[in-house]
Structures are given as structure tokens and as C-alpha cells.
């Protein structure tokens, strides 16, 4: 691992294989892409499934940083808390999310390419309680959500300098 790397845990994906995997490549420098995507306060700027996101801890972004994220689920908005569990700039960030009806682990990896940066996004979303019974039937909806998020990330990163 490089200098400045902090990893609290390897944060394995829940239950083994991730439910969702998407990859994109953008013509922007690795450090810039990591800084923008790795700070989940920016999620609202690229994920159309997020109504709002904000950092709720003080200090620099890293292991232990928490975010309040309001996720759109159909006609409802579901509050979630995400926490960074692994932080390896500019290579990887892992976040664990908790909400009343869902648990998520997002594992985002970055690598420099000739064109700019490749982002590999894996997300494991697990429904809680009785909703867990609907998980097999939600795969299509989860896949669409992931594809929309990656498309939004591409637009945000290619549309101008990340703010």
C-alpha cells in the first residue's frame, strides 16, 4: 500500500460475491477522480438515486468518516448512514451503509489508464426484515440503479471539473 494509506478492515462484501458490479473509464486524472468519488458527500452530484448526501463528521475524509445519505426508493426517501471502512488514496475506498430496510457495502477501486482513470464499483445491497424475501425479485431494479449511478458518475466526471 502507498504512503498515507489507512485501512481499518478489508471490508469484505456481505455474503461473498457482490450483487452489482460496474466499470467505467473517464478522461480525468486518477487523483482528481478519487477525490471526487471517494468523498460520498458528492454522491448526490452523480447518483440519480440519491436525493441528498452530506458529511456528518469533522476532519478530513478517511476511515471513520460518516455521511447522511437520503436514498430514493420508488416514491419514498430512505435515510441511510454510510461510513468509510477502508481508505487507500488514490486506489480504493470502501463504505458500509445502514438504513432501516437495507444494508450496503460499496467497494470502489480506481486505477490510472492511458486515457485517464478506470473506476470499478461493486455494491452489495441486502434488504432487511420481511423485505429480504423480495431480494431475488429486486435484482433488475438494483441493476438499473447501478447502471444509472455509473452513467451519472460518467456525466459528472466528464462534464467539467468536479466541485
Amino acid at each position: 500500500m502507498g504512503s498515507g494509506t489507512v485501512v481499518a478492515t478489508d471490508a469484505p462484501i456481505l455474503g461473498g460475491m457482490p450483487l452489482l458490479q460496474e466499470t467505467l473509464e473517464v478522461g480525468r486524472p486518477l487523483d482528481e477522480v478519487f477525490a471526487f468519488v471517494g468523498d460520498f458527500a458528492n454522491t448526490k452530484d452523480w447518483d440519480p438515486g440519491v436525493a441528498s448526501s452530506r458529511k456528518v463528521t469533522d476532519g478530513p475524509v478517511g476511515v471513520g468518516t460518516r455521511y447522511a445519505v437520503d436514498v430514493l426508493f420508488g416514491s419514498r426517501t430512505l435515510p441511510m448512514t454510510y461510513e468509510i471502512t477502508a481508505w487507500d488514496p488514490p486506489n480504493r475506498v470502501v463504505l458500509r451503509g445502514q438504513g432501516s430496510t437495507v444494508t450496503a457495502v460499496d467497494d470502489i477501486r480506481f486505477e490510472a489508464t492511458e486515457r485517464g482513470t478506470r473506476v470499478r464499483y461493486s455494491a452489495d445491497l441486502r434488504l432487511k426484515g420481511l423485505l429480504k424475501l423480495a431480494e431475488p425479485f429486486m435484482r433488475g431494479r438494483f441493476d438499473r440503479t447501478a447502471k444509472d449511478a455509473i452513467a451519472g458518475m460518467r456525466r459528472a466526471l466528464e462534464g467539467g471539473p468536479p466541485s
Side-chain angles (χ1 to χ4, degrees), residues 39-61:
D39 182 354
F40 240 46
N42 296 321
T43 306
K44 66 185 177 311
D45 298 329
W46 55 264
D47 188 341
V50 171
S52 67
S53 57
R54 64 185 174 84
K55 186 172 169 247
V56 295
T57 51
D58 293 329
V61 175

Side-chain angles (χ1 to χ4, degrees), residues 144-161:
R144 274 190 308 282
T145 298
K147 288 184 184 332
D148 289 348
I150 289 299
M153 185 186 295
R154 179 183 304 282
R155 278 190 301 276
L157 290 167
E158 292 184 340

Side-chain angles (χ1 to χ4, degrees), residues 3-58:
S3 165
T5 299
V6 179
V7 179
T9 174
D10 197 31
I13 299 297
L14 299 172
M17 292 299 292
L19 290 175
L20 310 170
Q21 292 183 348
E22 294 292 333
T23 301
L24 72 94
E25 190 169 336
V26 293
R28 299 199 74 107
L30 176 65
D31 289 338
E32 195 174 283
V33 173
F34 181 87
F36 180 69
V37 176
D39 182 354
F40 240 46
N42 296 321
T43 306
K44 66 185 177 311
D45 298 329
W46 55 264
D47 188 341
V50 171
S52 67
S53 57
R54 64 185 174 84
K55 186 172 169 247
V56 295
T57 51
D58 293 329

Side-chain angles (χ1 to χ4, degrees), residues 91-136:
N91 304 302
R92 182 180 183 217
V93 61
V94 179
L95 299 104
R96 181 174 293 273
Q98 293 287 334
S100 63
T101 59
V102 67
T103 299
V105 175
D106 294 30
D107 187 337
I108 312 167
R109 297 172 189 247
F110 306 81
E111 65 181 284
T113 65
E114 282 187 26
R115 181 171 175 256
T117 303
R118 180 173 298 118
V119 180
R120 296 181 196 274
Y121 201 120
S122 297
D124 187 353
L125 304 171
R126 301 293 171 156
L127 298 174
K128 295 179 178 180
L130 291 177
L131 287 176
K132 189 169 188 66
L133 299 173
E135 250 176 32

